[in-house]
């Protein structure tokens, strides 16, 4: 056996530190439910959603102009969140779009959980933006038959028609009947808030649009208290009508993408609160009915100035609405609704201010006030709307 070798190094005495009484840590217990209920809901949500990364969408400004597409009456759920930047929900995805310095469009997907969810969101976004239709090709056909349209297109390039979810589009335009943009947006924000919270960008809260099942839990009185007025009964009535559809209301709406325009319009007219103008908007902006023409007093004025001058001064009737729609289709063909959209945008005060002066009405008529008017609105509804303020 080997003897153990003892070290001869001096043994260092360990310094003793003065003892102090340790400070006890607070107990790690969650706040009581009573305390949580007193905290404002806004404080329980993050104040902002971080932007992850921007990527090119491979769309030029001539194919998609954000200022000419989002704030012009097609949808009321997208918000301007920066210079030439707009944010909104596409299904369960929160998306921001913006123009680069060269005019091209880039996108940002907020809070994507995986590469597969990012790919899914991009597919949904491109579908929502209707990128399967080349705007330049469509406008080239219009311009060949209409010199005025050709000149307008040079100033208003990229005014694209969206392909929205039909239920979302239907609910928005039920709010639009005989209403103004500010009030429509307030109502749509209320309905949207019933869906899953997605995030906050630049002070705006964004939600996934609520499902038909969630909408069915909202009482008419709740909507009236939120300022919907007589539209409350139309929304609850339409939700009930959709729930009664064989196979489901969402599937029924989607099926209208596969029928001809007249059949789609007739089907939509069976829903409470849906008149010809609202039906045409839903058909054009969500059901692939590209030659649907939403006719109101403003489109009537456009038609009598440029397509049907012989009807100038006549009173707009349902029969003349059909004649206006027919005139647009005869002039512009199967994408007549896209042409009508640009011509309507050209009449908005914000656009007339930047267009050359010769586009203004020579007779000095007032420019379009951004009010959505249903051509078959009853006098009772008009009185109710006035009383509701």
């Amino acid at each position: 056996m080997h003897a153990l070798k003892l070290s001869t190094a001096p043994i260092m005495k360990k310094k003793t530190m003065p003892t102090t009484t340790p400070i006890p840590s607070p107990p790690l217990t969650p706040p009581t439910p009573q305390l949580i209920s007193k905290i404002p809901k806004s404080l329980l949500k993050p104040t902002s959603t971080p932007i992850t990364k921007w990527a090119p969408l491979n769309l030029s400004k001539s194919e998609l102009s954000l200022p000419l597409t989002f704030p012009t009456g097609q949808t009321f759920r997208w918000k301007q969140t920066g210079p030439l930047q707009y944010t909104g929900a596409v299904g369960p995805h929160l998306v921001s779009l913006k123009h680069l310095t060269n005019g091209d469009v880039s996108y940002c997907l907020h809070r994507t959980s995986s590469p597969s969810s990012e790919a899914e969101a991009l597919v949904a976004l491109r579908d929502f933006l209707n990128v399967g239709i080349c705007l330049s090709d469509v406008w080239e056909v219009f311009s060949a038959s209409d010199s005025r349209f050709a000149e307008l297109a040079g100033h208003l390039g990229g005014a694209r028609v969206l392909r929205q979810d039909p239920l979302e589009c239907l609910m928005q335009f039920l709010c639009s009947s005989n209403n103004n943009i500010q009030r429509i947006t307030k109502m749509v924000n209320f309905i949207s808030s019933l869906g899953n919270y997605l995030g906050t960008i630049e002070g705006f809260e964004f939600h996934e649009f609520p499902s038909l099942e969630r909408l069915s839990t909202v009482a008419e009185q709740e909507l009236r208290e939120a300022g919907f007025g007589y539209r409350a009964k139309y929304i609850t009535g339409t939700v009930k009508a959709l729930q009664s559809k064989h196979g489901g209301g969402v599937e029924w709406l989607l099926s209208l993408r596969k029928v001809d325009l007249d059949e789609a319009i007739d089907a939509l007219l069976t829903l409470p609160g849906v008149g010809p103008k609202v039906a045409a908007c839903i058909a054009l902006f969500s059901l692939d009915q590209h030659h649907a023409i939403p006719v109101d007093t403003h489109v009537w004025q456009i038609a009598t100035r440029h397509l049907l001058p012989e009807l100038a001064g006549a009173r707009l009737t349902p029969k003349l609405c059909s004649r206006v729609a027919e005139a647009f289709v005869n002039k512009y063909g199967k994408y007549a609704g896209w042409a009508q959209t640009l011509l309507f945008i050209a009449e908005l005060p914000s656009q007339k201010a930047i267009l050359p002066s010769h586009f203004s009405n020579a007779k000095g008529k007032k420019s379009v006030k951004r009010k959505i008017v249903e051509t078959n609105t009853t006098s009772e509804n008009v009185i109710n709307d006035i009383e509701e303020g």
Side-chain angles (χ1 to χ4, degrees):
M1 292 182 64
H2 296 288
L4 290 173
K5 204 168 187 180
L6 298 176
S7 171
T8 58
I11 298 174
M12 302 295 291
K13 289 186 178 180
K14 187 175 181 181
K15 279 188 179 181
T16 58
M17 300 296 291
T19 60
T20 58
T21 303
I23 300 173
S25 300
L28 299 176
T29 56
T32 63
Q34 290 84 0
L35 288 176
I36 290 178
S37 64
K38 294 180 180 180
I39 300 174
K41 289 183 179 181
S42 59
L43 297 181
L44 297 177
K45 298 176 181 177
T47 56
S48 63
T49 300
I51 289 178
T52 51
K53 62 179 181 178
W54 290 90
L57 193 55
N58 298 322
L59 283 177
S60 65
K61 188 178 179 181
S62 62
E63 283 297 314
L64 174 60
S65 169
L66 302 177
L68 294 178
T69 300
F70 287 112
T72 52
Q74 292 189 57
T75 178
F76 306 93
R77 293 199 351 113
W78 282 67
K79 314 296 183 185
Q80 185 168 2
T81 52
L84 297 179
Q85 178 178 315
Y86 294 81
T87 301
V90 180
H93 312 291
L94 181 57
V95 183
S96 288
L97 299 171
K98 72 176 180 181
H99 284 293
L100 303 176
T101 52
N102 66 352
D104 289 352
V105 181
S106 61
Y107 72 96
C108 171
L109 304 176
H110 303 279
R111 292 182 177 171
T112 52
S113 57
S114 66
S116 60
S117 67
E118 183 172 344
E120 180 182 308
L122 182 56
V123 169
L125 173 61
R126 293 179 67 83
D127 180 74
F128 170 74
L129 295 174
N130 235 343
V131 297
I133 296 174
C134 177
L135 189 62
S136 300
D137 289 348
V138 173
W139 282 16
E140 184 178 351
V141 174
F142 296 160
S143 299
S145 61
D146 186 348
S147 59
R148 182 175 181 273
F149 185 98
E151 191 174 359
L152 278 173
H155 297 281
L156 302 175
R160 175 172 285 277
V161 170
L162 299 171
R163 188 177 194 251
Q164 301 177 61
D165 172 80
L167 176 63
E168 182 176 335
C169 189
L170 168 60
M171 290 297 137
Q172 290 185 83
F173 279 97
L174 279 176
C175 296
S176 75
S177 176
N178 193 44
N179 214 345
N180 58 63
I181 295 293
Q182 183 178 3
R183 194 172 176 202
I184 296 168
T185 303
K186 182 180 178 181
M187 293 177 183
V188 171
N189 286 346
F190 179 86
I191 293 178
S192 299
S193 70
L194 303 174
N196 295 327
Y197 172 75
L198 298 178
T200 300
I201 306 293
E202 296 297 327
F204 294 104
E205 285 190 6
F206 294 91
H207 298 78
E208 181 179 3
F209 198 78
S211 65
L212 186 60
E213 290 71 25
R214 176 67 182 93
L215 291 172
S216 69
T217 66
V218 182
E220 179 183 332
Q221 185 58 33
E222 185 178 352
L223 293 174
R224 286 186 176 273
E225 291 172 357
F228 282 68
Y230 65 83
R231 301 169 195 82
K233 64 182 178 183
Y234 292 152
I235 291 173
T236 56
T238 288
V239 168
K240 289 178 183 178
L242 289 174
Q243 286 188 304
S244 70
K245 298 296 183 184
H246 179 70
V250 172
E251 290 74 14
W252 179 80
L253 285 170
L254 287 170
S255 72
L256 301 182
R257 287 178 170 175
K258 301 174 183 178
V259 302
D260 62 34
L261 176 59
D262 288 341
E263 186 176 345
I265 294 293
D266 288 344
L268 291 170
L269 289 175
T270 65
L271 299 174
V274 176
K277 162 71 186 301
V278 166
C281 286
I282 298 164
L284 177 60
F285 300 137
S286 71
L287 298 179
D288 299 337
Q289 304 289 349
H290 303 298
H291 61 295
I293 306 296
V295 179
D296 60 10
T297 55
H298 311 311
V299 175
W300 167 247
Q301 291 169 7
I302 294 170
T304 55
R305 286 202 302 268
H306 306 293
L307 297 176
L308 299 166
E310 67 275 14
L311 296 181
R315 179 178 176 273
L316 181 59
T317 63
K319 185 176 180 180
L320 288 183
C321 282
S322 298
R323 188 168 171 185
V324 168
E326 183 181 349
F328 270 96
V329 174
N330 289 340
K331 181 74 172 179
Y332 299 107
K334 65 179 182 179
Y335 288 102
W338 291 56
Q340 178 266 334
T341 297
L342 176 129
L343 296 173
F344 176 81
I345 291 171
E347 295 293 318
L348 297 175
S350 58
Q351 303 310 318
K352 295 193 84 168
I354 62 175
L355 288 172
S357 58
H358 64 270
F359 282 114
S360 299
N361 187 0
K363 295 183 180 180
K365 292 183 179 179
K366 292 182 180 179
S367 57
V368 173
K369 291 181 180 179
R370 299 181 67 188
K371 187 170 183 179
I372 313 298
V373 179
E374 175 60 78
T375 56
N376 68 335
T377 301
T378 65
S379 58
E380 176 190 0
N381 289 350
V382 174
I383 293 171
N384 289 340
D385 197 58
I386 293 172
E387 290 176 347
E388 291 155 14

